[in-house]
Amino acid sequence: MALLGQRPPKPASASAPRARPRALSPSRRLATAVSGPWPGLALAVTGVALAWLVHRLVPGVPMLTVAIVLGLAAAQVPGSRVWVRGWARPGLTFAAKRLMRVGVVLLGLKLSLGDVLGVGWETVAMVLVVVAATFFGTWWLGRKLGLPGDQPLLIATGYSICGASAIGAVSDVSRSEERDTATSVAVVTLCGTLAIAVLPLLQGPLGLTDAEFGRWVGASVHDVGQVVATAQTAGGDALGEGVLVKLMRVAMLAPLVAGVAVAVRARAAAARSAAASGAAGAPDASGAGERRPPLVPLFVAGFVGMVVVRSTGWLPDSALDGAGLAQELLLAAALFGLGSAVDLRSLVRTGGRVGLVGLCAWVVVGGVSYAGVCLTG
């Protein structure tokens, strides 16, 4: 029996103090209030605007190169790193993947079938040899040195075709991790930027005429903008030859992406077959719901379609100029997004091997293209 005057104990729910909600940090409150791709896209647009401004002040530095450097810096600076890796990440990933596809499609408007047919079979053969030797040599070396993930494939693609644009296209088909894509873009962009300063110094010692120098630049430098910045140092003839040969390398993007898609599908089929044989009597559900990449992705078909449209001659120069500007801006936004995904700590851990592969690939593409230019004269 309870003692007189003693109050019965209160229920725990009534006596326990109410728990106060945990206060959110400013970054968490901002992330909660702002969601979706728009914050990251706004950050990418800001990066493109800054890259355009730097390019206007220093015309010799391509805007695409500045864009990836700014994205890389934004991911490392303590003040912006939290935003880049937090609430801005969805939009930056959208830019790196989706906007890259649109930029690749518009890249097809820079190439016409008449230009390719007009250079002669010797130059076409030279481009094919350069692309094949650079791709397979770099891919083999990257695997031999133990580069992780899809980095051997992506670095080989960037060196052999058209730099960051080709890396973005192939990584989309091969479903590469964003980290591998960003690392590959970083090393390819670095070597392409160094080419702007190094290659003009070699024209005299190598005994190249202006036209031959332009063809050498077009066959060995990765990005179209870097080719323009390098070849223009030797005059208009070199610039015209360089851009033409470069665009012929760009034309190899479609068959390369299709080949990667075939390899991915074959690898997936082999994995399903192995899983089925390993589970005797069990139904094969390993491929259930798996989305196989198409043999010719839609954006690659769009690239080929733009080449056909350019070949018809229907588009006026003003439309081509506008499409060229849009293509450069879209690729700049995509490269800013890719640069923001680079993890410098991870890059430092594999930086020696990545740098060695990049240097060797640079020597291969430069040496094979120089031999090709000398042979085709």
Side-chain angles (χ1 to χ4, degrees):
M1 175 179 286
L3 298 177
L4 291 175
Q6 181 178 0
R7 296 180 181 178
K10 295 181 179 180
S13 59
S15 60
R18 294 182 179 179
R20 295 181 179 179
R22 186 176 181 180
L24 297 176
S25 63
S27 60
R28 175 70 67 176
R29 287 200 300 268
L30 182 59
T32 303
V34 182
S35 60
W38 301 113
L41 289 176
L43 183 59
V45 169
T46 303
V48 172
L50 292 175
W52 177 83
L53 180 60
V54 172
H55 174 65
R56 294 286 294 179
L57 295 175
V58 189
V61 180
M63 185 174 70
L64 300 185
T65 301
V66 180
I68 191 173
V69 171
L70 291 176
L72 177 63
Q76 316 308 321
V77 175
S80 60
R81 182 170 52 199
V82 177
W83 299 350
V84 168
R85 297 180 180 178
W87 56 268
R89 190 71 254 155
L92 293 173
T93 301
F94 180 90
K97 293 183 177 294
R98 306 294 181 178
L99 298 187
M100 176 69 78
R101 295 179 187 177
V102 181
V104 169
V105 170
L106 294 179
L107 189 61
L109 290 175
K110 292 183 176 293
L111 182 67
S112 69
L113 298 176
D115 293 336
V116 175
L117 297 176
V119 298
W121 68 268
E122 298 93 345
T123 303
V124 174
M126 178 197 72
V127 170
L128 292 175
V129 170
V130 168
V131 169
T134 304
F135 178 81
F136 289 107
T138 305
W139 177 74
W140 175 84
L141 181 61
R143 289 177 60 87
K144 197 73 174 177
L145 292 179
L147 293 188
D150 287 336
Q151 289 183 21
L153 170 66
L154 299 179
I155 294 175
T157 299
Y159 272 90
S160 60
I161 305 294
C162 55
S165 304
I167 291 175
V170 169
S171 66
D172 186 76
V173 174
S174 61
R175 302 175 185 174
S176 304
E177 293 185 6
E178 191 175 21
R179 176 180 54 192
D180 291 340
T181 304
T183 300
S184 303
V185 167
V187 67
V188 170
T189 302
L190 174 62
C191 290
T193 303
L194 291 176
I196 300 173
V198 174
L199 264 59
L201 301 177
L202 299 178
Q203 180 182 0
L206 294 178
L208 296 173
T209 65
D210 290 346
E212 290 173 341
F213 176 73
R215 288 198 295 274
W216 182 46
V217 170
S220 60
V221 179
H222 321 312
D223 183 76
V224 176
Q226 294 166 347
V227 168
V228 172
T230 308
Q232 69 183 358
T233 60
D237 291 342
L239 179 59
E241 292 285 339
V243 171
L244 181 57
V245 172
K246 176 62 199 175
L247 292 179
M248 291 176 59
R249 287 171 64 196
V250 172
M252 300 298 297
L253 178 62
L256 177 63
V257 172
V260 171
V262 171
V264 170
R265 296 183 68 170
R267 184 172 58 188
R272 290 195 299 269
S273 177
S277 61
D284 181 18
S286 59
E290 183 178 350
R291 175 176 165 266
R292 296 189 300 174
L295 292 180
V296 180
L298 184 60
F299 69 93
V300 175
F303 170 85
V304 176
M306 291 298 102
V307 174
V308 174
V309 171
R310 172 65 186 269
S311 303
T312 62
W314 294 341
L315 295 179
D317 292 340
S318 58
L320 293 176
D321 292 341
L325 177 61
Q327 174 251 325
E328 191 168 13
L329 293 175
L330 288 169
L331 289 182
L335 291 181
F336 182 89
L338 283 174
S340 68
V342 174
D343 184 357
L344 281 185
R345 291 173 296 181
S346 175
L347 185 60
V348 167
R349 286 194 293 268
T350 60
R353 288 176 292 165
V354 171
L356 180 59
V357 171
L359 180 61
C360 292
W362 198 15
V363 172
V364 169
V365 69
V368 174
S369 58
Y370 174 71
V373 168
C374 292
L375 291 175
T376 57

